[in-house]
Amino acid sequence: MAAPAVKTEGLRDCRDAWSLTLCDLAANDPRIVAVVNDSIGSSKLGGFQKQFPDRLVNVGIAEQCMVGVGAGLANGGKVPFVSAASCFLTGRALEQVKADIAYAGFNVKLVGQSSGVAYGELGATHHSIEDFAWLRPLTNITVIVPADAWETAEAVKWAADHEGPVYLRLSRMPVPDLAVENRVFRPGKAEILRAGGDVTLIANGTIAHIALAAADLLAAEGINARVLNMATLNPLDEAAVLAAAEETGAIVTAEEASVRGGLGGAVAELTSAHRPVPVERIGFPGFLPTGSVEWLFREYGLSAEGIAERARAAMTRASK
């Protein structure tokens, strides 16, 4: 049984962990370069630029070219980390991501910054809630959604060593660290944040913390919820999902993304084919109104109360 995850004091920006880790890696590996779209500040790469001025390529606001440059650098033996706001990296340059990176199989690390609804009030053009659905079908891109600064740093290290395309989805919203006993980053494996046998909550990224808070609410009612941090969306940890379906009989997925085609879609596809159980999917239904991150989360059920409510609904469906 895994020890319950707990939140330590303080909040950290995962982008700080990403940039510091990249600088450390680059100091020991001259192949590592960064490519950006006039986003040095928002990508937190000012320190990298100062330390390695000849290893940062700023193509300007030209995301399609940016991805192409990354592919060319990989073809030349470099290990490029291509960093931009995820809404533009995956939306504007999707064809290049598909053809130049995934289909070609180039060793490019795509880093989607300020993902989900982190841009809040800037509205639907700057929300990145479709990226999971766009990238999941590109089967040779590993999609990782870190939940905290530690997991971000470990994911960057792994991506640098991994031979093949990777998409790291980072948020700009500060989050607490998760403290899990003997924590090890294992791509493609779900992390058990809390043991439980009544219902399973599956989340990733910023929402993993909210799922834990929902489990606390349910525990006060005598409901023991299992909480899984599904940091790797592609490939999905099918064994963990099917075990959750078999052992708890009901699942809730919660993600800072579209409810169609992402984590919830992947879990529903798998369980419907191999172990049908009630699956309640929490996410965003489509284009969103302008509003703060906090308001958007509450409005669309991405709160401890909202997740707990859907967990009760899933359990009720399972008992019928």
Side-chain angles (χ1 to χ4, degrees):
M1 299 285 282
V6 297
K7 297 179 180 180
T8 58
E9 294 298 324
L11 302 176
R12 293 204 285 167
D13 188 332
C14 292
R15 296 175 302 164
D16 291 329
W18 122 263
S19 59
L20 290 172
T21 304
L22 188 68
C23 286
D24 289 344
L25 293 171
N28 295 302
D29 189 344
R31 300 175 303 153
I32 291 178
V33 297
V35 187
V36 298
N37 63 334
D38 200 25
S39 61
I40 295 172
S42 60
S43 290
K44 296 274 190 166
L45 287 173
F48 186 95
Q49 183 184 43
K50 184 176 180 179
Q51 192 171 349
F52 309 104
D54 58 343
R55 289 160 64 181
L56 185 143
V57 180
N58 186 353
V59 304
I61 303 175
E63 287 79 11
Q64 294 160 317
C65 293
M66 176 185 66
V67 173
V69 167
L73 288 166
N75 194 37
K78 300 297 185 182
V79 181
F81 282 77
V82 177
S83 177
S86 57
C87 57
F88 304 129
L89 174 61
T90 61
R92 191 172 296 161
L94 183 58
E95 181 183 359
Q96 285 68 34
V97 171
K98 172 186 173 181
D100 295 352
I101 307 301
Y103 181 63
F106 280 135
N107 188 34
V108 176
K109 320 305 171 183
L110 304 167
V111 186
Q113 305 282 359
S114 305
S115 59
V117 295
Y119 279 124
E121 290 87 350
L122 292 180
T125 58
H126 283 62
H127 296 158
S128 180
I129 63 172
E130 305 88 359
D131 51 349
F132 289 166
W134 288 338
L135 297 185
R136 269 188 63 224
L138 306 180
T139 52
N140 63 337
I141 291 185
T142 303
V143 177
I144 302 175
V145 193
D148 62 10
W150 177 88
E151 194 165 47
T152 299
E154 293 302 305
V156 173
K157 294 174 191 175
W158 179 85
D161 287 337
H162 175 71
E163 184 68 29
V166 177
Y167 175 60
L168 299 177
R169 190 197 206 233
L170 307 183
S171 177
R172 68 189 295 118
M173 293 183 289
V175 292
D177 289 334
L178 295 172
V180 181
E181 186 177 356
N182 301 318
R183 198 174 188 193
V184 177
F185 178 71
R186 296 186 298 165
K189 296 295 182 182
E191 182 179 42
I192 301 176
L193 300 182
R194 186 175 184 136
D198 295 330
V199 65
T200 299
L201 314 179
I202 305 178
N204 55 23
T206 56
I207 310 302
H209 306 272
I210 302 174
L212 277 171
D216 288 339
L217 293 180
L218 293 168
E221 305 170 15
I223 299 171
N224 294 316
R226 180 178 306 182
V227 182
L228 298 182
N229 172 24
M230 195 65 71
T232 308
L233 181 59
N234 191 32
L236 185 75
D237 187 347
E238 296 186 351
V241 173
L242 293 176
E246 179 69 29
E247 295 164 9
T248 71
I251 294 174
V252 177
T253 64
E255 57 196 307
E256 191 186 347
S258 171
V259 76
R260 299 179 181 88
L263 175 61
V267 169
E269 290 165 14
L270 178 65
T271 56
S272 65
H274 299 285
R275 183 62 174 87
V277 296
V279 176
E280 293 279 334
R281 295 176 294 159
I282 309 176
F284 300 115
F287 295 128
L288 304 176
T290 296
S292 69
V293 173
E294 294 77 15
W295 181 83
L296 289 168
F297 276 16
R298 289 195 306 271
E299 183 72 8
Y300 292 96
L302 289 169
S303 63
E305 294 79 8
I307 294 173
E309 180 181 353
R310 297 291 286 275
R312 298 182 199 100
M315 294 175 63
T316 299
R317 291 171 56 196
S319 65
K320 291 182 178 179

